[in-house]
Amino acid sequence: MTKKSYTGWGRALRANGDLTRPDSTKNMTANAPAIGNRRSYGDAALNDAQNAIDMTRIDRIISFDRDAGLLTVQTGITLGELARVLAPQGWLPSVLPGTGFATVGGAIAMDVHGKNHHHKGSFCEHVTDITLIQGNETRKITPKNAGLWKATCGGLGQTGIITEATLQLTPAKGDLMLVTEQRAVDWDHHIALLDSSDAPYTVGWIDATATGTLLGRGIVEEGETCRGLRPTLRGAKKIPFDAPHWALSAPIVKAFNAAYYRRVPKSGRTVVRPIQDFFFPLDKIHDWNRLYGKRGFHQFQCVVPLDQSGALRAMMETIAGSGLASPLAVLKRMGPGRAGYMSFPMEGYTLAVDFPNRPQARDLIARLEKATVAAGGRLYLAKDALSSGAAVKAMYPDHPKWAAVAAKADPDGLLQTDMTRRLSLRTPT
């Protein structure tokens, strides 16, 4: 056991506590929350002044049925490692989030989504069984364990320590991506391109600094797996120190975004990329979160129903007018797929924008949260560090069902984290 100071990916919140890092589940008991690579942005994987179990050494592949595409793994293994190993063999995890450093356990606990949610739904919809440690007992659950399954998928690790899972993989043509990039000239065009896309994977980068007639401009990427000659790979870069506060000032971000938008020709283009570059574009810049300085950053990510695109456009106007946004902003269309009571997705549009951790940004995010509630949307708990329990419970109508199952699975509250305490999630109302 090691006493450690640690953070989530946003680095705005911090915890100090004892971490154990076992290499086996033998004799493991669910007496503290499990954490992975801490790629959640806020406090979902923090447990200040208490213990936590670091699962990243419990990372083995247990079995692989190559014919059926069924893979059983320990949950400390990362999705990037699985993509690296599986793609040359003709398979991929069915859902991949924006970072390959996320562990399988974290992907289950957040029921993550990816660039193919409009076709494939959320991560846990492609999980066939999960092994949990509850207290001193180990049990395997499937979707037939309906209540416990729905409370575990997207359930923030509150129903037990997730140690193993079987994944239904999706076929891949190879370890490359054929990617078509198009400019979206404004908000309506951006939405239209997302709505009309029938590509397996679709995502939009949006210029969160553009205003007026340029509001909502960006680049829509559509991709599919392919095989061929591998492009030359550039080595990973590392951010060696915390950037100064002016590094992401409004003029710099605005100039960068304009240049990034223009990198795609007006007529569009089609390129071949390594799989990792398409799914995990920022992973090749290690510690990129240090670009926001020592105070860290917050990400606001919401989803609103399809008929509320106007409300999302109004949020985009507010963000663009604030001068606080970073270059990292994403717009996607989502399908209806979600596996758990507390799973984030709904059919609609999701917007994600990063902001440096400043008082003005926190005030802005509070306004955006109110607009999300008014639009009948919800916030993504993998990104949240600022919301209130009342707001989150209003966004997640199945919360009381989840809280009841979590209370039964962990009656002494040993698996609680800073997030569940901050939001009073284990309290039904």
Side-chain angles (χ1 to χ4, degrees), residues 268-315:
R269 66 182 182 187
T270 298
V271 296
V272 175
R273 293 185 194 162
I275 270 184
Q276 289 80 1
D277 284 7
F278 178 77
F279 289 111
F280 320 128
L282 289 175
D283 283 1
K284 58 189 175 184
I285 307 174
H286 293 177
D287 297 332
W288 63 261
N289 54 354
R290 301 188 74 175
L291 290 170
Y292 291 91
K294 63 182 180 181
R295 290 181 293 183
F297 72 103
H298 296 288
Q299 184 178 107
F300 169 79
Q301 183 169 4
C302 71
V303 61
V304 300
L306 288 175
D307 62 0
Q308 293 296 313
S309 62
L312 198 61
R313 186 186 192 280
M315 291 186 218

Side-chain angles (χ1 to χ4, degrees), residues 163-184:
T163 61
E164 295 180 11
T166 300
L167 314 180
Q168 176 61 66
L169 306 175
T170 196
K173 297 175 185 176
D175 60 353
L176 298 174
M177 296 294 295
L178 187 67
V179 183
T180 296
E181 299 173 309
Q182 299 180 74
R183 286 187 185 183

Side-chain angles (χ1 to χ4, degrees), residues 7 42 46 91 148 158 198 209-210 229 305 320 365 371 396 398 404 419:
T7 71
L46 306 184
W91 296 100
L148 182 56
Q158 297 298 292
D198 59 1
T209 68
L229 297 176
I365 290 171
Y396 287 86
D398 288 328
M419 170 172 275

Side-chain angles (χ1 to χ4, degrees), residues 74-246:
Q74 294 181 322
T75 52
I77 197 167
T78 66
L79 294 173
E81 178 66 6
L82 291 183
R84 184 189 69 80
V85 170
L86 294 170
Q89 303 183 60
W91 296 100
L92 276 177
S94 293
V95 172
L96 290 168
T99 174
F101 291 116
T103 62
V104 168
I108 292 171
M110 289 297 178
D111 194 19
V112 300
H113 58 277
K115 297 176 176 68
N116 60 347
H117 187 270
H118 54 308
H119 291 309
K120 290 286 190 177
S122 62
F123 187 88
C124 289
E125 291 184 286
H126 307 278
V127 178
T128 63
D129 62 65
I130 296 169
T131 300
L132 291 173
I133 295 177
Q134 296 178 315
N136 297 317
E137 303 295 324
T138 299
R139 64 180 299 189
K140 181 178 289 188
I141 64 171
T142 72
K144 292 181 179 180
N145 304 96
L148 182 56
W149 184 265
K150 290 181 179 180
T152 300
C153 297
L156 306 171
Q158 297 298 292
T159 62
I161 295 176
I162 303 167
T163 61
E164 295 180 11
T166 300
L167 314 180
Q168 176 61 66
L169 306 175
T170 196
K173 297 175 185 176
D175 60 353
L176 298 174
M177 296 294 295
L178 187 67
V179 183
T180 296
E181 299 173 309
Q182 299 180 74
R183 286 187 185 183
V185 299
D186 59 21
W187 177 267
D188 289 339
H189 188 212
H190 210 141
I191 292 293
L193 288 175
L194 294 175
D195 286 348
S196 63
S197 176
D198 59 1
Y201 301 94
T202 306
V203 64
W205 168 82
I206 190 166
D207 181 354
T209 68
T211 58
T213 59
L214 300 180
L215 181 80
R217 74 173 180 181
I219 298 167
V220 173
E221 296 185 352
E222 298 174 293
E224 60 180 295
T225 57
C226 66
R227 66 175 69 249
L229 297 176
R230 191 171 181 83
T232 301
L233 293 177
R234 298 178 181 178
K237 297 181 179 179
K238 184 178 178 68
I239 304 300
F241 53 82
D242 294 336
H245 67 88
W246 48 261

Side-chain angles (χ1 to χ4, degrees), residues 333-349:
R333 176 162 175 165
M334 305 188 83
R338 61 195 299 260
Y341 294 135
M342 298 295 288
S343 296
F344 167 70
M346 68 167 63
E347 189 168 18
Y349 304 100

